[in-house]
Amino acid sequence: MEQASLRELEAVIAIARRGTFRAAAIELGMSTTALSHTVSKLEAGLGVRLFNRTTRSVSLTEAGRLFVQQISPALQDLHTALDCVRAQRGTPSGTIRINAAPFAARAILSPLVLEFLRRYPEMHADIVTEGKMVDIVRDGFDLGVRVAGLVPSDMIAVSLGQPQRHAVVGSPAYFEKHGRPMVPPDLLNHRCIRVRLPDGALFRWWFEKEGEQLHLDVPGPITLDEASLVRAAALEGTGVGYTMEQEALADIEAGRLVRVLEDWTPPYPGLCLYYPGRRNLSAGVRAFLDLAREYARRIG
């Protein structure tokens, strides 16, 4: 057979990592049809099937599992070598891939990502938002963005400055009808907007005041699996919501939402960029980190 191309190898790794052709195609920036053709070409050249395909699922064959096991370290070494060479470029170019929590992506979009693209027009930013934590090395990301306390211990973290804070909010009409909670346990008698975490567990509302900490499993008429929907539900008068302060600040200032229990929601460590401790960062990643440090100094 002819030697496999880098694109074909990356295709196999992406499908194995993502679990579906569609998700892998999105990651690689190609159509599902083109990805399927790429893999079929490689399988034909190898003379073995790498994936079991059905209309509902994709899984590695035994040959595929061995293939992925063998080529993954070599492919990582190759990318490291390419990064080393690209790091010598004077002008950053190429793609920077960032994984972030949805609210974190919104926080960095204008001051960091869009400013970065204005400064370096040869760069392309690929941002993937996920509620759950991922292994950014395994999943092919250059950087992650999470709250400081969630950054893995084996990563290098760069603080983005300002601390974060939660806000407990409801519509004026809701509080006029049901009254305002004065202390966190009062929420147990309110209609609350619950959130399910990516691992399936229900999020417990966290409060702290003068050293006293509370975690409440609140009751409510609705459970959402995306925290950004809390604001929308609260605006409709569905109940009391617990959300990131920046998500609700404009509505609070405009009077569309009313904030309660503010003295029970102290600031906590803010967002961090993080990346693996590799020596040879690409010129694009280094430029993005420099911009992030500049931004943190400016707002700190």
Side-chain angles (χ1 to χ4, degrees), residues 117-137:
L117 296 177
R118 283 190 287 268
R119 292 189 184 188
Y120 304 104
E122 293 183 43
M123 289 296 304
H124 173 85
D126 182 0
I127 301 177
V128 176
T129 60
E130 295 181 270
K132 66 180 185 298
M133 290 291 293
V134 302
D135 183 333
I136 62 170
V137 176

Side-chain angles (χ1 to χ4, degrees), residues 162-294:
Q162 292 181 327
Q164 301 292 304
R165 197 176 182 193
H166 282 106
V168 183
V169 297
S171 70
Y174 174 85
F175 287 129
E176 183 177 346
K177 181 177 180 180
H178 299 279
R180 299 190 186 191
M182 304 307 295
V183 292
D186 290 347
L187 292 167
L188 299 176
N189 297 314
H190 276 266
R191 296 165 60 85
C192 296
I193 301 164
R194 309 171 85 196
V195 173
R196 190 178 302 282
L197 298 171
D199 64 3
L202 287 172
F203 175 66
R204 300 176 70 199
W205 295 14
W206 174 77
F207 298 96
E208 181 179 356
K209 182 179 180 180
E210 298 176 354
E212 181 182 359
Q213 294 188 3
L214 295 173
H215 289 83
L216 296 180
D217 185 4
V218 296
I222 186 171
T223 301
L224 306 171
D225 67 357
E226 172 51 62
S228 64
L229 297 175
V230 171
R231 170 185 167 273
L235 285 168
E236 292 286 336
T238 304
V240 183
Y242 185 95
T243 185
M244 299 300 299
E245 183 181 60
Q246 63 265 35
E247 294 278 346
L249 202 54
D251 294 308
I252 294 169
E253 292 174 348
R256 293 184 293 267
L257 289 175
V258 175
R259 186 172 191 172
V260 296
L261 301 174
E262 186 171 356
D263 55 337
W264 281 90
T265 54
Y268 58 90
L271 294 174
C272 284
L273 279 173
Y274 64 94
Y275 60 96
R278 295 181 301 202
R279 294 182 179 179
N280 298 310
L281 297 173
S282 70
V285 171
R286 286 190 285 109
F288 193 89
L289 290 170
D290 287 343
L291 177 61
R293 294 185 180 101
E294 175 188 319

